Amino acid sequence: MSTLTHHKKSVRAMAQHPKDINSFASVSADNVKKFNLPNGEFLHNMMSQQKTIVNAMAVNRDGVMATGAAVFALSYDVTGTRLVTCGADKTIKMWKKDQNATPETHPLNFKPPKDIRRF
C-alpha cells in the first residue's frame, strides 16, 4: 500500500496500540515514532535521540510501552503484567512489578527525555 520512510536509521521493531487500532509505533536507533492507520500518516516523535540502539518494543493492553537495547525481543504475557525479554546475554528474563516497592525501597535515577510523549 505504501512505504514509510520517516526514520533515518534502520527500523528495529514496531507495535500496534492495544486500544487505538488506528495507530502504531516504530523504533530505530534514532527515534520512537507514532503513525496513524490506515495510510501510515506520521503523527509525531515519541522520543528522539536515545543514547543506545533499541532493538525491541512491546505494548501491553494498558498502553504501557517497553523498549529494550541489548535485548533482541520482548513481549508482555496475556495478563499484561509480566514482561518477558530475551537478550544478548543468552538469557530469557521475566519481569514483574513489585507491588511492595516504594520510592524509598527502590529509588529510580531515571530521567525521561524532555521530548517524551505518551503512546
Side-chain angles (χ1 to χ4, degrees), residues 32-60:
V32 177
K33 295 181 179 281
K34 184 176 179 180
F35 296 89
N36 206 8
L37 292 171
N39 299 323
E41 171 192 5
F42 171 71
L43 295 175
H44 60 262
N45 291 325
M46 295 177 67
M47 217 167 56
S48 61
Q49 305 301 321
Q50 58 258 23
K51 295 182 181 357
T52 186
I53 296 173
V54 177
N55 292 317
M57 74 183 313
V59 181
N60 73 5

PDB file of all heavy atoms in Angstrom, residues 32-60:
ATOM      1  N   VAL A  32      11.686   6.974  18.424  1.00  0.00           N
ATOM      2  CA  VAL A  32      10.448   6.212  18.536  1.00  0.00           C
ATOM      3  C   VAL A  32       9.390   7.107  17.914  1.00  0.00           C
ATOM      4  O   VAL A  32       9.229   8.252  18.323  1.00  0.00           O
ATOM      5  CB  VAL A  32      10.085   5.893  20.001  1.00  0.00           C
ATOM      6  CG1 VAL A  32       8.757   5.158  20.071  1.00  0.00           C
ATOM      7  CG2 VAL A  32      11.179   5.086  20.667  1.00  0.00           C
ATOM      8  N   LYS A  33       8.698   6.597  16.903  1.00  0.00           N
ATOM      9  CA  LYS A  33       7.754   7.416  16.151  1.00  0.00           C
ATOM     10  C   LYS A  33       6.363   6.794  16.197  1.00  0.00           C
ATOM     11  O   LYS A  33       6.219   5.582  16.264  1.00  0.00           O
ATOM     12  CB  LYS A  33       8.198   7.535  14.690  1.00  0.00           C
ATOM     13  CG  LYS A  33       9.508   8.285  14.536  1.00  0.00           C
ATOM     14  CD  LYS A  33       9.904   8.402  13.081  1.00  0.00           C
ATOM     15  CE  LYS A  33      11.177   9.172  12.921  1.00  0.00           C
ATOM     16  NZ  LYS A  33      11.036  10.595  13.011  1.00  0.00           N
ATOM     17  N   LYS A  34       5.351   7.642  16.131  1.00  0.00           N
ATOM     18  CA  LYS A  34       3.959   7.186  16.128  1.00  0.00           C
ATOM     19  C   LYS A  34       3.337   7.513  14.774  1.00  0.00           C
ATOM     20  O   LYS A  34       3.535   8.608  14.234  1.00  0.00           O
ATOM     21  CB  LYS A  34       3.181   7.870  17.246  1.00  0.00           C
ATOM     22  CG  LYS A  34       1.752   7.367  17.374  1.00  0.00           C
ATOM     23  CD  LYS A  34       1.052   7.999  18.563  1.00  0.00           C
ATOM     24  CE  LYS A  34      -0.377   7.514  18.684  1.00  0.00           C
ATOM     25  NZ  LYS A  34      -1.056   8.119  19.818  1.00  0.00           N
ATOM     26  N   PHE A  35       2.584   6.534  14.251  1.00  0.00           N
ATOM     27  CA  PHE A  35       1.926   6.673  12.958  1.00  0.00           C
ATOM     28  C   PHE A  35       0.438   6.381  13.093  1.00  0.00           C
ATOM     29  O   PHE A  35       0.013   5.680  13.997  1.00  0.00           O
ATOM     30  CB  PHE A  35       2.525   5.683  11.948  1.00  0.00           C
ATOM     31  CG  PHE A  35       3.962   5.938  11.633  1.00  0.00           C
ATOM     32  CD1 PHE A  35       4.969   5.360  12.389  1.00  0.00           C
ATOM     33  CD2 PHE A  35       4.311   6.748  10.573  1.00  0.00           C
ATOM     34  CE1 PHE A  35       6.300   5.586  12.092  1.00  0.00           C
ATOM     35  CE2 PHE A  35       5.644   6.980  10.267  1.00  0.00           C
ATOM     36  CZ  PHE A  35       6.639   6.393  11.032  1.00  0.00           C
ATOM     37  N   ASN A  36      -0.323   6.897  12.148  1.00  0.00           N
ATOM     38  CA  ASN A  36      -1.762   6.678  12.097  1.00  0.00           C
ATOM     39  C   ASN A  36      -2.070   5.698  10.967  1.00  0.00           C
ATOM     40  O   ASN A  36      -1.380   5.678   9.952  1.00  0.00           O
ATOM     41  CB  ASN A  36      -2.474   8.013  11.841  1.00  0.00           C
ATOM     42  CG  ASN A  36      -3.879   8.032  12.357  1.00  0.00           C
ATOM     43  OD1 ASN A  36      -4.316   7.115  13.053  1.00  0.00           O
ATOM     44  ND2 ASN A  36      -4.606   9.075  12.038  1.00  0.00           N
ATOM     45  N   LEU A  37      -3.076   4.886  11.152  1.00  0.00           N
ATOM     46  CA  LEU A  37      -3.533   3.959  10.117  1.00  0.00           C
ATOM     47  C   LEU A  37      -4.864   4.457   9.562  1.00  0.00           C
ATOM     48  O   LEU A  37      -5.539   5.234  10.217  1.00  0.00           O
ATOM     49  CB  LEU A  37      -3.712   2.560  10.729  1.00  0.00           C
ATOM     50  CG  LEU A  37      -2.428   1.876  11.159  1.00  0.00           C
ATOM     51  CD1 LEU A  37      -2.739   0.614  11.945  1.00  0.00           C
ATOM     52  CD2 LEU A  37      -1.556   1.557   9.977  1.00  0.00           C
ATOM     53  N   PRO A  38      -5.257   4.111   8.385  1.00  0.00           N
ATOM     54  CA  PRO A  38      -4.718   3.055   7.538  1.00  0.00           C
ATOM     55  C   PRO A  38      -3.631   3.519   6.571  1.00  0.00           C
ATOM     56  O   PRO A  38      -3.002   2.693   5.920  1.00  0.00           O
ATOM     57  CB  PRO A  38      -5.950   2.593   6.750  1.00  0.00           C
ATOM     58  CG  PRO A  38      -6.768   3.835   6.588  1.00  0.00           C
ATOM     59  CD  PRO A  38      -6.542   4.621   7.861  1.00  0.00           C
ATOM     60  N   ASN A  39      -3.386   4.810   6.451  1.00  0.00           N
ATOM     61  CA  ASN A  39      -2.460   5.295   5.423  1.00  0.00           C
ATOM     62  C   ASN A  39      -1.026   5.470   5.892  1.00  0.00           C
ATOM     63  O   ASN A  39      -0.165   5.810   5.095  1.00  0.00           O
ATOM     64  CB  ASN A  39      -2.966   6.615   4.844  1.00  0.00           C
ATOM     65  CG  ASN A  39      -4.311   6.452   4.185  1.00  0.00           C
ATOM     66  OD1 ASN A  39      -4.566   5.430   3.563  1.00  0.00           O
ATOM     67  ND2 ASN A  39      -5.184   7.424   4.342  1.00  0.00           N
ATOM     68  N   GLY A  40      -0.754   5.282   7.179  1.00  0.00           N
ATOM     69  CA  GLY A  40       0.605   5.426   7.686  1.00  0.00           C
ATOM     70  C   GLY A  40       1.042   6.861   7.871  1.00  0.00           C
ATOM     71  O   GLY A  40       2.226   7.175   7.820  1.00  0.00           O
ATOM     72  N   GLU A  41       0.096   7.733   8.137  1.00  0.00           N
ATOM     73  CA  GLU A  41       0.416   9.150   8.350  1.00  0.00           C
ATOM     74  C   GLU A  41       1.295   9.299   9.598  1.00  0.00           C
ATOM     75  O   GLU A  41       0.963   8.792  10.670  1.00  0.00           O
ATOM     76  CB  GLU A  41      -0.883   9.930   8.526  1.00  0.00           C
ATOM     77  CG  GLU A  41      -0.699  11.362   8.960  1.00  0.00           C
ATOM     78  CD  GLU A  41      -2.013  12.000   9.413  1.00  0.00           C
ATOM     79  OE1 GLU A  41      -3.042  11.314   9.482  1.00  0.00           O
ATOM     80  OE2 GLU A  41      -1.969  13.195   9.719  1.00  0.00           O
ATOM     81  N   PHE A  42       2.437   9.996   9.470  1.00  0.00           N
ATOM     82  CA  PHE A  42       3.319  10.257  10.605  1.00  0.00           C
ATOM     83  C   PHE A  42       2.636  11.243  11.536  1.00  0.00           C
ATOM     84  O   PHE A  42       2.175  12.297  11.122  1.00  0.00           O
ATOM     85  CB  PHE A  42       4.652  10.825  10.115  1.00  0.00           C
ATOM     86  CG  PHE A  42       5.535  11.320  11.213  1.00  0.00           C
ATOM     87  CD1 PHE A  42       6.152  10.426  12.073  1.00  0.00           C
ATOM     88  CD2 PHE A  42       5.738  12.670  11.403  1.00  0.00           C
ATOM     89  CE1 PHE A  42       6.974  10.874  13.093  1.00  0.00           C
ATOM     90  CE2 PHE A  42       6.554  13.127  12.418  1.00  0.00           C
ATOM     91  CZ  PHE A  42       7.172  12.230  13.264  1.00  0.00           C
ATOM     92  N   LEU A  43       2.554  10.883  12.841  1.00  0.00           N
ATOM     93  CA  LEU A  43       1.911  11.762  13.814  1.00  0.00           C
ATOM     94  C   LEU A  43       2.927  12.595  14.580  1.00  0.00           C
ATOM     95  O   LEU A  43       2.846  13.813  14.595  1.00  0.00           O
ATOM     96  CB  LEU A  43       1.051  10.939  14.780  1.00  0.00           C
ATOM     97  CG  LEU A  43      -0.141  10.221  14.144  1.00  0.00           C
ATOM     98  CD1 LEU A  43      -0.853   9.353  15.159  1.00  0.00           C
ATOM     99  CD2 LEU A  43      -1.094  11.230  13.522  1.00  0.00           C
ATOM    100  N   HIS A  44       3.884  11.937  15.248  1.00  0.00           N
ATOM    101  CA  HIS A  44       4.895  12.673  15.997  1.00  0.00           C
ATOM    102  C   HIS A  44       5.981  11.732  16.505  1.00  0.00           C
ATOM    103  O   HIS A  44       5.812  10.515  16.514  1.00  0.00           O
ATOM    104  CB  HIS A  44       4.289  13.452  17.170  1.00  0.00           C
ATOM    105  CG  HIS A  44       3.589  12.595  18.168  1.00  0.00           C
ATOM    106  ND1 HIS A  44       2.242  12.425  18.167  1.00  0.00           N
ATOM    107  CD2 HIS A  44       4.039  11.838  19.197  1.00  0.00           C
ATOM    108  CE1 HIS A  44       1.889  11.620  19.155  1.00  0.00           C
ATOM    109  NE2 HIS A  44       2.969  11.236  19.792  1.00  0.00           N
ATOM    110  N   ASN A  45       7.085  12.321  16.912  1.00  0.00           N
ATOM    111  CA  ASN A  45       8.146  11.578  17.592  1.00  0.00           C
ATOM    112  C   ASN A  45       7.727  11.402  19.039  1.00  0.00           C
ATOM    113  O   ASN A  45       7.318  12.354  19.684  1.00  0.00           O
ATOM    114  CB  ASN A  45       9.475  12.338  17.546  1.00  0.00           C
ATOM    115  CG  ASN A  45      10.038  12.392  16.154  1.00  0.00           C
ATOM    116  OD1 ASN A  45       9.900  11.464  15.375  1.00  0.00           O
ATOM    117  ND2 ASN A  45      10.689  13.492  15.829  1.00  0.00           N
ATOM    118  N   MET A  46       7.845  10.176  19.524  1.00  0.00           N
ATOM    119  CA  MET A  46       7.512   9.916  20.922  1.00  0.00           C
ATOM    120  C   MET A  46       8.738  10.117  21.795  1.00  0.00           C
ATOM    121  O   MET A  46       8.641  10.483  22.948  1.00  0.00           O
ATOM    122  CB  MET A  46       6.970   8.502  21.070  1.00  0.00           C
ATOM    123  CG  MET A  46       5.661   8.325  20.331  1.00  0.00           C
ATOM    124  SD  MET A  46       5.044   6.665  20.409  1.00  0.00           S
ATOM    125  CE  MET A  46       4.669   6.534  22.130  1.00  0.00           C
ATOM    126  N   MET A  47       9.891   9.834  21.249  1.00  0.00           N
ATOM    127  CA  MET A  47      11.169  10.001  21.937  1.00  0.00           C
ATOM    128  C   MET A  47      12.206  10.128  20.842  1.00  0.00           C
ATOM    129  O   MET A  47      12.158   9.420  19.842  1.00  0.00           O
ATOM    130  CB  MET A  47      11.464   8.779  22.795  1.00  0.00           C
ATOM    131  CG  MET A  47      12.128   9.096  24.088  1.00  0.00           C
ATOM    132  SD  MET A  47      12.138   7.725  25.258  1.00  0.00           S
ATOM    133  CE  MET A  47      12.914   6.420  24.392  1.00  0.00           C
ATOM    134  N   SER A  48      13.152  11.013  21.005  1.00  0.00           N
ATOM    135  CA  SER A  48      14.165  11.152  19.964  1.00  0.00           C
ATOM    136  C   SER A  48      15.562  11.161  20.569  1.00  0.00           C
ATOM    137  O   SER A  48      15.750  11.468  21.735  1.00  0.00           O
ATOM    138  CB  SER A  48      13.938  12.426  19.158  1.00  0.00           C
ATOM    139  OG  SER A  48      14.034  13.551  19.988  1.00  0.00           O
ATOM    140  N   GLN A  49      16.507  10.782  19.732  1.00  0.00           N
ATOM    141  CA  GLN A  49      17.924  10.821  20.074  1.00  0.00           C
ATOM    142  C   GLN A  49      18.272  10.044  21.333  1.00  0.00           C
ATOM    143  O   GLN A  49      19.020  10.511  22.176  1.00  0.00           O
ATOM    144  CB  GLN A  49      18.393  12.278  20.215  1.00  0.00           C
ATOM    145  CG  GLN A  49      18.114  13.123  18.994  1.00  0.00           C
ATOM    146  CD  GLN A  49      18.767  12.589  17.736  1.00  0.00           C
ATOM    147  OE1 GLN A  49      19.878  12.116  17.758  1.00  0.00           O
ATOM    148  NE2 GLN A  49      18.051  12.640  16.633  1.00  0.00           N
ATOM    149  N   GLN A  50      17.709   8.828  21.474  1.00  0.00           N
ATOM    150  CA  GLN A  50      18.122   7.997  22.596  1.00  0.00           C
ATOM    151  C   GLN A  50      19.600   7.657  22.428  1.00  0.00           C
ATOM    152  O   GLN A  50      20.135   7.708  21.347  1.00  0.00           O
ATOM    153  CB  GLN A  50      17.260   6.742  22.733  1.00  0.00           C
ATOM    154  CG  GLN A  50      17.234   5.863  21.519  1.00  0.00           C
ATOM    155  CD  GLN A  50      15.961   6.036  20.716  1.00  0.00           C
ATOM    156  OE1 GLN A  50      15.292   7.036  20.791  1.00  0.00           O
ATOM    157  NE2 GLN A  50      15.642   5.041  19.927  1.00  0.00           N
ATOM    158  N   LYS A  51      20.260   7.309  23.502  1.00  0.00           N
ATOM    159  CA  LYS A  51      21.701   7.118  23.500  1.00  0.00           C
ATOM    160  C   LYS A  51      22.130   5.688  23.186  1.00  0.00           C
ATOM    161  O   LYS A  51      23.293   5.366  23.251  1.00  0.00           O
ATOM    162  CB  LYS A  51      22.275   7.555  24.841  1.00  0.00           C
ATOM    163  CG  LYS A  51      22.099   9.042  25.098  1.00  0.00           C
ATOM    164  CD  LYS A  51      22.719   9.415  26.409  1.00  0.00           C
ATOM    165  CE  LYS A  51      22.613  10.827  26.828  1.00  0.00           C
ATOM    166  NZ  LYS A  51      22.032  11.819  26.073  1.00  0.00           N
ATOM    167  N   THR A  52      21.200   4.829  22.838  1.00  0.00           N
ATOM    168  CA  THR A  52      21.523   3.444  22.548  1.00  0.00           C
ATOM    169  C   THR A  52      20.631   2.939  21.427  1.00  0.00           C
ATOM    170  O   THR A  52      19.585   3.524  21.154  1.00  0.00           O
ATOM    171  CB  THR A  52      21.367   2.572  23.808  1.00  0.00           C
ATOM    172  OG1 THR A  52      21.822   1.262  23.543  1.00  0.00           O
ATOM    173  CG2 THR A  52      19.929   2.541  24.281  1.00  0.00           C
ATOM    174  N   ILE A  53      21.037   1.868  20.790  1.00  0.00           N
ATOM    175  CA  ILE A  53      20.239   1.297  19.716  1.00  0.00           C
ATOM    176  C   ILE A  53      19.181   0.386  20.323  1.00  0.00           C
ATOM    177  O   ILE A  53      19.501  -0.601  20.969  1.00  0.00           O
ATOM    178  CB  ILE A  53      21.124   0.519  18.729  1.00  0.00           C
ATOM    179  CG1 ILE A  53      22.095   1.484  18.051  1.00  0.00           C
ATOM    180  CG2 ILE A  53      20.270  -0.192  17.696  1.00  0.00           C
ATOM    181  CD1 ILE A  53      23.115   0.807  17.187  1.00  0.00           C
ATOM    182  N   VAL A  54      17.931   0.731  20.120  1.00  0.00           N
ATOM    183  CA  VAL A  54      16.819  -0.044  20.641  1.00  0.00           C
ATOM    184  C   VAL A  54      16.450  -1.104  19.612  1.00  0.00           C
ATOM    185  O   VAL A  54      16.254  -0.803  18.440  1.00  0.00           O
ATOM    186  CB  VAL A  54      15.611   0.865  20.953  1.00  0.00           C
ATOM    187  CG1 VAL A  54      14.432   0.057  21.430  1.00  0.00           C
ATOM    188  CG2 VAL A  54      16.001   1.911  21.993  1.00  0.00           C
ATOM    189  N   ASN A  55      16.368  -2.352  20.048  1.00  0.00           N
ATOM    190  CA  ASN A  55      16.097  -3.472  19.151  1.00  0.00           C
ATOM    191  C   ASN A  55      14.673  -4.002  19.242  1.00  0.00           C
ATOM    192  O   ASN A  55      14.231  -4.703  18.339  1.00  0.00           O
ATOM    193  CB  ASN A  55      17.037  -4.642  19.468  1.00  0.00           C
ATOM    194  CG  ASN A  55      18.458  -4.321  19.136  1.00  0.00           C
ATOM    195  OD1 ASN A  55      18.751  -3.755  18.100  1.00  0.00           O
ATOM    196  ND2 ASN A  55      19.357  -4.676  20.031  1.00  0.00           N
ATOM    197  N   ALA A  56      13.973  -3.749  20.331  1.00  0.00           N
ATOM    198  CA  ALA A  56      12.683  -4.396  20.544  1.00  0.00           C
ATOM    199  C   ALA A  56      11.719  -3.452  21.255  1.00  0.00           C
ATOM    200  O   ALA A  56      12.141  -2.560  21.981  1.00  0.00           O
ATOM    201  CB  ALA A  56      12.873  -5.657  21.381  1.00  0.00           C
ATOM    202  N   MET A  57      10.432  -3.702  21.036  1.00  0.00           N
ATOM    203  CA  MET A  57       9.413  -2.937  21.752  1.00  0.00           C
ATOM    204  C   MET A  57       8.150  -3.773  21.876  1.00  0.00           C
ATOM    205  O   MET A  57       7.906  -4.681  21.076  1.00  0.00           O
ATOM    206  CB  MET A  57       9.115  -1.607  21.053  1.00  0.00           C
ATOM    207  CG  MET A  57       8.318  -1.720  19.789  1.00  0.00           C
ATOM    208  SD  MET A  57       8.045  -0.150  18.906  1.00  0.00           S
ATOM    209  CE  MET A  57       7.547   0.953  20.160  1.00  0.00           C
ATOM    210  N   ALA A  58       7.381  -3.481  22.917  1.00  0.00           N
ATOM    211  CA  ALA A  58       6.096  -4.138  23.140  1.00  0.00           C
ATOM    212  C   ALA A  58       5.197  -3.164  23.882  1.00  0.00           C
ATOM    213  O   ALA A  58       5.680  -2.269  24.585  1.00  0.00           O
ATOM    214  CB  ALA A  58       6.276  -5.418  23.959  1.00  0.00           C
ATOM    215  N   VAL A  59       3.899  -3.363  23.740  1.00  0.00           N
ATOM    216  CA  VAL A  59       2.910  -2.530  24.418  1.00  0.00           C
ATOM    217  C   VAL A  59       1.885  -3.454  25.053  1.00  0.00           C
ATOM    218  O   VAL A  59       1.400  -4.376  24.392  1.00  0.00           O
ATOM    219  CB  VAL A  59       2.210  -1.573  23.425  1.00  0.00           C
ATOM    220  CG1 VAL A  59       1.200  -0.699  24.144  1.00  0.00           C
ATOM    221  CG2 VAL A  59       3.221  -0.724  22.685  1.00  0.00           C
ATOM    222  N   ASN A  60       1.568  -3.222  26.334  1.00  0.00           N
ATOM    223  CA  ASN A  60       0.534  -4.056  26.959  1.00  0.00           C
ATOM    224  C   ASN A  60      -0.851  -3.448  26.723  1.00  0.00           C
ATOM    225  O   ASN A  60      -0.974  -2.379  26.128  1.00  0.00           O
ATOM    226  CB  ASN A  60       0.825  -4.316  28.445  1.00  0.00           C
ATOM    227  CG  ASN A  60       0.605  -3.114  29.326  1.00  0.00           C
ATOM    228  OD1 ASN A  60       0.138  -2.059  28.897  1.00  0.00           O
ATOM    229  ND2 ASN A  60       0.946  -3.251  30.595  1.00  0.00           N
TER     230      ASN A  60
END
